[in-house]
């Protein structure tokens, strides 16, 4: 039996992480085998790559080098975590995947999306999520939340991306909406500007329906 591959996307401060862990508890409570993982990261090598990618000190990181590092983390993650879990019938909940590269490196940084897709086909060998949940929120609200969270924790910025301006995050958000528009079979958009309970109810509905298929 092949498991199901569900990915979660959205800009900073969209509430993804909270929602995914609530969903994990819900599925585990129903006795469904489930694994929660994320990109960049998800493996010991991927976590080392994540540190390079998110370190605010790495301002000199070239956009192409950045793209390849996300790809490197993804290749490792697919081999060590995603493919084995799917092969054993597990539901894989992944906090970001290939669409994040198109949204951030493509629409955000301005790298050619055709080239990103080509590289992604090599990295993933064409593996697509069964469902991608886009938690949509406007850039100002999302970034405000993310920065508020950092300030609460006494941090300046968790990642190089939280240092980017509203225009960058607006391009990323608009990019995600365009991707969702182009692939309506796979994507579902959930309004992230509501209470966590309401957002979670929508997500559970979507995943219940996917698992019932
Ligand atoms: P996170 O904060 O959701 O864990 O994501 C880490 C950051 O990495 C976030 O700012 C989005 C960014 N990112 C990309 O730019 N490209 C990618 O392919 C992925 C997976 C994440």
């Amino acid at each position: 039996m092949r498991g199901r591959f569900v990915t979660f996307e959205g800009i900073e401060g969209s509430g993804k992480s909270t929602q995914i862990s609530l969903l994990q508890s819900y599925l585990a409570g129903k006795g469904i085998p489930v694994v929660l993982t994320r990109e960049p990261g998800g493996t010991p090598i991927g976590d080392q790559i994540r540190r390079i990618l998110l370190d605010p000190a790495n301002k000199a990181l070239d956009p192409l080098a950045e793209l390849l590092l996300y790809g490197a983390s993804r290749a490792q993650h697919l081999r060590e975590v995603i493919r084995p879990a799917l092969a054993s019938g597990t539901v894989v909940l992944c906090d970001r995947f290939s669409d994040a590269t198109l949204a951030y490196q493509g629409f955000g940084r301005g790298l050619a999306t055709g080239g990103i897709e080509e590289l992604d086909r090599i990295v993933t060998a064409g593996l697509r999520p069964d469902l991608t949940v886009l938690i949509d929120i406007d850039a100002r609200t999302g970034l405000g939340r993310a920065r508020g969270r950092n300030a609460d924790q006494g941090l300046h910025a968790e990642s190089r991306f939280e240092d980017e301006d509203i225009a960058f995050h607006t391009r990323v958000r608009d990019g995600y909406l365009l991707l969702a528009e182009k692939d309506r079979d796979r994507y579902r958009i959930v309004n992230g500007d509501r209470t966590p309970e309401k957002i979670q109810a929508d997500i559970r509905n979507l995943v219940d329906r996917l698992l019932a298929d």
Side-chain angles (χ1 to χ4, degrees):
M1 180 181 81
R2 183 182 168 274
R4 297 297 164 90
F5 186 24
V6 184
T7 61
F8 295 80
E9 301 287 353
I11 60 167
E12 304 341 84
S14 61
K16 266 182 307 102
S17 311
T18 310
Q19 292 299 328
I20 303 174
S21 47
L22 289 170
L23 179 66
Q24 181 194 25
S25 310
Y26 169 70
L27 295 177
K30 297 213 294 183
I32 295 169
V34 57
V35 61
L36 192 172
T37 188
R38 71 169 176 187
E39 289 197 2
T43 65
I45 290 172
D47 283 337
Q48 294 177 59
I49 299 173
R50 181 181 175 92
R51 279 197 287 280
I52 298 172
L53 281 165
L54 301 191
D55 186 344
N58 285 339
K59 296 213 188 314
L61 189 61
D62 175 78
L64 190 55
E66 178 181 280
L67 171 72
L68 294 169
L69 285 171
Y70 280 110
S73 169
R74 184 159 306 134
Q76 194 69 31
H77 194 207
L78 280 158
R79 173 182 293 262
E80 278 189 49
V81 178
I82 299 175
R83 288 194 190 281
L86 291 176
S88 72
T90 300
V91 175
V92 176
L93 306 179
C94 191
D95 192 338
R96 301 193 187 281
F97 192 62
S98 301
D99 300 288
T101 311
L102 279 167
Y104 280 81
Q105 281 63 55
F107 294 96
R109 295 270 189 247
L111 294 180
T113 50
I116 296 176
E117 283 169 335
E118 222 171 289
L119 176 68
D120 195 64
R121 272 192 291 277
I122 296 171
V123 171
T124 64
L127 180 74
R128 302 276 75 185
D130 297 295
L131 168 68
T132 297
V133 177
L134 171 60
I135 305 184
D136 180 53
I137 190 157
D138 77 65
R140 207 165 286 279
T141 312
L143 211 54
R145 281 192 197 166
R147 288 186 176 146
R149 180 182 60 204
N150 290 340
D152 287 349
Q153 294 170 5
L155 298 171
H156 166 54
E158 186 193 30
S159 79
R160 292 182 305 117
F161 291 92
E162 286 170 18
D163 278 342
E164 293 286 346
D165 59 12
I166 290 284
F168 176 88
H169 292 278
T170 302
R171 286 199 300 280
V172 173
R173 183 212 185 180
D174 291 347
Y176 271 131
L177 290 171
L178 200 71
L179 294 172
E181 177 69 26
K182 280 192 352 201
D183 194 351
R184 291 188 191 197
D185 283 348
R186 171 167 66 90
Y187 258 101
R188 291 291 176 271
I189 302 174
V190 169
N191 174 4
D193 199 7
R194 296 175 299 158
T195 63
E197 293 74 21
K198 288 214 168 98
I199 298 171
Q200 181 64 198
D202 281 3
I203 294 176
R204 286 182 184 181
N205 255 321
L206 293 171
V207 173
D208 281 341
R209 261 188 275 155
L210 174 75
L211 298 183
D213 267 352

